[in-house]
Amino acid sequence: MERIKKTFLVLPIKAITLSLVFVLVFLLSPLSAEEKPDEIHIDADSVVYQENIGIATADGNVKVRNKDLRLFAPHVEYNSNNQLVEAFSDERGKVTLLSGQDKLIGDHLTYSLDTRRGVLTDASGKMDALYMQGRDVRIMPMSDAVKFGVIKSRPKKNKTDAEDESITEWLNVTTTTCDFEKPHYKLVSKKVVIIPGKKMIIRRPQIYIGGKCIFTYPFDYVAGLGPRDQSLMPYFAYESNKGMGAGIKGIISAGKIGEVRVAAIYWSENIWEAKLNYRKEILDGLSIFFESKRLYHPDEKELMWRPKWGLEYYAPNGWRAILSQSQRELIQTEMTPGQEVRHNVWSDPEFGVYSPWYGNASKLANIRFFGIYGRYQQNRDKEVGSWNERILLGTEVTGAPDVGKFFFRPFYGGRYVYHTYNGGEQTQSFIDGWVGVSWDIGPVSFTSQYFRRWTDGTSPFSWDSYSPNENFYQTVSFPLPIGASWEKWTFSVTAAYDNIIQDIASIRYSVNYNKHCNTWHMWILDNKSGKEIKAGIFFYINAYPEYKLGIDSDMAPQGEATKAAF
């Protein structure tokens, strides 16, 4: 005997775990073992449950919903005997899955509640900022993915992860963040593997700009779904003492072994530089690392490898600690705008503790603290220096309050750093302060900033001997009247004026080309006081501005000596 209900049905308890299908497809954080998903409701023009054979059939404007998802399809069937769920499309419409802002559309969904495996055919949709289109989407438990070679190893498990998470494998996929019918760029791959809440692995994609394939990526492109890191991509630069340079930089995933950050660049002056950084998390928050940089020292005309190794710990409350040793680390200090000094420094050991930023939502003030202990040896011009002990304590405050639609937008900050050497034989301290304001006049934007440094005491090292500094920075940006309506060209110039020498210390020119979904940024830095010119170009996707494929340069001097890179 059949029992017919016209519009509504709550399925038996066996069907409750259906919610996992859609949660996993949409990359949501999986339910923990302690949580119980709520029951699923089906609403349709007609719902028939045949109790004698255990099959429920819903037809016409079918809606499946619970607290995490919404499923729409012309026709849905559930078999309680083998726990198989099927959703069908026809001339009335497609199978559509909605979760938050994410949307996935396909022709046919099959999912087994018993094995937790399923397939959505001819899928397309939007996840996060990505528009994706491909063929079949397969869902399977993490254990099956490792067993069948879909992924090389099980990623590190978080406390909030389910006992056996599921992963999503998508075949023949086109990925882009451009919503145009003919996107400005796209990545085309035979397979994409999605590990919920962790990362998306795009297997050796072909990179298209316009309708033309520019190159095939030689490795798997890994995009983090939590804190994002760029995968391996090209970049370009120019420095007057090295010439034109082209290289690659990014991350190579090594599965259980860890991850390797790599960078390499060849300069036209027959100089090649490289950087390798290996990192492996051994306990929650605790990682070991080893890095070696092959960097050129332009003052001493030398090129050598510079190794460093140690431990880094991220505490749950946001504090961070690093214990390390290094040899020949290239330290550069910008004493005044456009004038840098570089030194080879050994550390044995160096231990630093850094707090998170503390503040409030109004952005009126944010503050952090840091402390560093180390023993250092500085070598220069082939002369071997003596070992000296240094203790550094510091704090930094920044602010940029929200003033709404007020004409001027202020920002400000300050930094105090105290050094003591060899048990108090020498001491040094400095105070940095800066204040600035941004405003607009029509389409033209202005930013003005005043920076001042006060110093006291001396240091046995030349790489952290600071001197008084007083500078004024002015930036002007305005649009260029070129390009299509959806394109934006912007030219900017920033000048740094040294009030001590009463002259312009550096000028930075840049052109920004925003092409709807991606941006190209080209810059030239003329360090007049240091008689050095640098230039670069980088590219980023507007949806992910943290993925900068290239190099950039900061104008304002740093509070501490910085590690040289390229």
Side-chain angles (χ1 to χ4, degrees):
M1 178 178 174
E2 298 181 358
R3 293 188 297 181
I4 300 178
K5 299 182 181 180
K6 291 185 177 180
T7 59
F8 178 77
L9 173 68
V10 177
L11 292 180
I13 193 66
K14 293 181 180 180
I16 288 177
T17 53
L18 176 60
S19 61
L20 290 176
V21 183
F22 314 110
V23 173
L24 293 169
V25 168
F26 278 91
L27 314 181
L28 298 176
S29 300
L31 298 170
S32 65
E34 293 78 20
E35 291 179 314
K36 294 182 179 180
D38 62 339
E39 60 188 10
I40 285 183
H41 300 267
I42 293 182
D43 186 21
D45 294 340
S46 173
V47 179
V48 177
Y49 178 56
Q50 302 177 61
E51 190 173 12
N52 58 331
I53 58 175
I55 294 179
T57 302
D59 190 76
N61 298 310
V62 183
K63 302 178 182 66
V64 181
R65 61 179 176 84
N66 77 345
K67 65 177 182 179
D68 294 320
L69 65 96
R70 287 175 294 162
L71 163 66
F72 301 88
H75 189 86
V76 173
E77 294 181 3
Y78 168 67
N79 188 325
S80 62
N81 299 310
N82 56 15
Q83 301 191 56
L84 188 69
V85 176
E86 288 191 88
F88 303 85
S89 63
D90 57 26
E91 67 279 358
R92 294 173 293 179
K94 297 278 190 177
V95 177
T96 302
L97 304 174
L98 300 177
S99 182
Q101 298 299 314
D102 296 329
K103 182 178 182 179
L104 195 63
I105 299 172
D107 285 343
H108 178 248
L109 171 68
T110 304
Y111 186 78
S112 170
L113 300 175
D114 184 25
T115 63
R116 296 175 50 228
R117 299 177 192 165
V119 176
L120 178 67
T121 63
D122 293 326
S124 63
K126 186 176 185 292
M127 296 182 181
D128 194 18
L130 297 173
Y131 295 91
M132 306 179 72
Q133 185 169 1
R135 294 186 62 187
D136 297 349
V137 171
R138 298 196 297 174
I139 305 160
M140 66 191 74
M142 186 77 70
S143 55
D144 284 355
V146 175
K147 178 181 177 181
F148 300 144
V150 176
I151 57 176
K152 295 179 181 179
S153 62
R154 178 187 293 271
K156 181 177 174 58
K157 188 175 180 180
N158 298 324
K159 293 180 180 180
T160 57
D161 291 345
E163 187 63 28
D164 190 10
E165 290 184 285
S166 292
I167 69 119
T168 301
E169 181 186 47
W170 202 338
L171 304 179
N172 298 327
V173 185
T174 297
T175 304
T176 183
T177 60
C178 183
D179 59 357
F180 279 18
E181 184 178 349
K182 295 182 178 179
H184 295 116
Y185 83 96
K186 60 184 178 181
L187 280 65
V188 179
S189 174
K190 292 182 178 180
K191 183 186 297 185
V192 172
V193 177
I194 302 168
I195 302 176
K198 292 182 173 63
K199 60 185 176 181
M200 178 186 298
I201 305 169
I202 304 177
R203 304 293 190 193
R204 299 186 63 184
Q206 293 178 311
I207 313 297
Y208 284 78
I209 295 182
K212 185 176 182 180
C213 180
I214 303 301
F215 67 96
T216 298
Y217 196 69
F219 305 97
D220 292 343
Y221 186 91
V222 180
L225 297 177
R228 296 185 177 92
D229 291 301
Q230 68 183 44
S231 199
L232 210 59
M233 291 294 281
Y235 72 105
F236 308 93
Y238 170 81
E239 294 189 20
S240 56
N241 50 29
K242 299 177 187 178
M244 291 295 298
I248 57 173
K249 66 191 304 185
I251 297 175
I252 297 177
S253 176
K256 287 184 177 180
I257 300 176
E259 66 178 24
V260 182
R261 297 173 180 264
V262 300
I265 187 169
Y266 179 79
W267 304 90
S268 59
E269 293 296 322
N270 199 26
I271 298 170
W272 72 273
E273 296 179 298
K275 180 169 61 176
L276 301 173
N277 183 303
Y278 168 78
R279 181 174 296 269
K280 172 68 175 178
E281 188 173 16
I282 54 178
L283 295 171
D284 283 343
L286 180 63
S287 300
I288 60 172
F289 67 89
F290 173 81
E291 68 178 37
S292 188
K293 301 176 181 178
R294 189 177 193 266
L295 298 178
Y296 178 67
H297 192 321
D299 300 332
E300 299 187 4
K301 311 298 182 186
E302 63 181 9
L303 181 67
M304 62 178 64
W305 286 99
R306 307 169 188 275
K308 183 176 182 177
W309 58 94
L311 297 168
E312 184 169 17
Y313 177 69
Y314 284 88
N317 59 6
W319 284 76
R320 180 170 65 98
I322 303 177
L323 176 65
S324 64
Q325 288 183 280
S326 65
Q327 297 180 359
R328 300 180 296 277
E329 188 169 16
L330 188 57
I331 305 292
Q332 62 185 30
T333 308
E334 188 176 25
M335 297 302 183
T336 60
Q339 191 169 21
E340 296 177 342
V341 293
R342 304 170 182 88
H343 305 275
N344 292 324
V345 178
W346 276 249
S347 64
D348 182 23
E350 181 180 78
F351 178 69
V353 178
Y354 308 86
S355 81
W357 284 97
Y358 297 101
N360 53 48
S362 68
K363 300 182 181 179
L364 188 64
N366 295 282
I367 187 170
R368 71 178 181 120
F369 307 93
F370 50 91
I372 302 173
Y373 166 81
R375 292 180 64 250
Y376 306 94
Q377 182 188 61
Q378 173 186 307
N379 297 343
R380 189 173 186 184
D381 298 326
K382 311 302 181 182
E383 294 183 6
V384 178
S386 60
W387 285 90
N388 290 278
E389 183 182 82
R390 182 185 80 157
I391 297 176
L392 178 154
L393 299 172
T395 184
E396 184 173 0
V397 179
T398 63
D402 185 358
V403 294
K405 296 182 180 181
F406 188 63
F407 184 70
F408 293 106
R409 300 180 297 277
F411 59 93
Y412 42 82
R415 182 187 301 116
Y416 174 76
V417 181
Y418 174 80
H419 309 71
T420 179
Y421 306 92
N422 299 320
E425 290 182 4
Q426 288 179 266
T427 62
Q428 177 187 218
S429 64
F430 67 79
I431 299 174
D432 289 345
W434 60 91
V435 61
V437 63
S438 299
W439 75 98
D440 300 322
I441 299 179
V444 183
S445 299
F446 301 86
T447 300
S448 303
Q449 177 183 335
Y450 174 76
F451 175 89
R452 180 75 183 269
R453 172 176 292 163
W454 297 265
T455 64
D456 181 59
T458 60
S459 167
F461 305 116
S462 55
W463 57 271
D464 76 340
S465 295
Y466 297 97
S467 57
N469 209 328
E470 185 178 4
N471 314 304
F472 180 76
Y473 300 88
Q474 180 62 55
T475 299
V476 180
S477 302
F478 54 88
L480 299 176
I482 56 177
S485 59
W486 41 266
E487 296 177 311
K488 294 181 181 179
W489 289 82
T490 305
F491 176 79
S492 300
V493 57
T494 299
Y497 183 82
D498 191 326
N499 289 348
I500 295 177
I501 65 174
Q502 298 289 300
D503 200 0
I504 295 176
S506 65
I507 301 179
R508 186 183 191 273
Y509 309 90
S510 67
V511 175
N512 212 60
Y513 173 41
N514 186 327
K515 194 179 179 181
H516 177 66
C517 58
N518 57 74
T519 295
W520 289 90
H521 184 82
M522 296 147 279
W523 58 269
I524 298 175
L525 177 62
D526 183 2
N527 284 330
K528 293 182 176 297
S529 58
K531 297 181 180 180
E532 184 180 33
I533 295 178
K534 297 180 180 181
I537 180 172
F538 62 82
F539 167 87
Y540 62 88
I541 305 302
N542 293 347
Y544 302 110
E546 62 270 42
Y547 284 98
K548 285 185 171 64
L549 310 179
I551 61 175
D552 199 1
S553 175
D554 292 324
M555 290 296 296
Q558 301 295 314
E560 267 298 297
T562 58
K563 320 301 184 186
F566 54 84

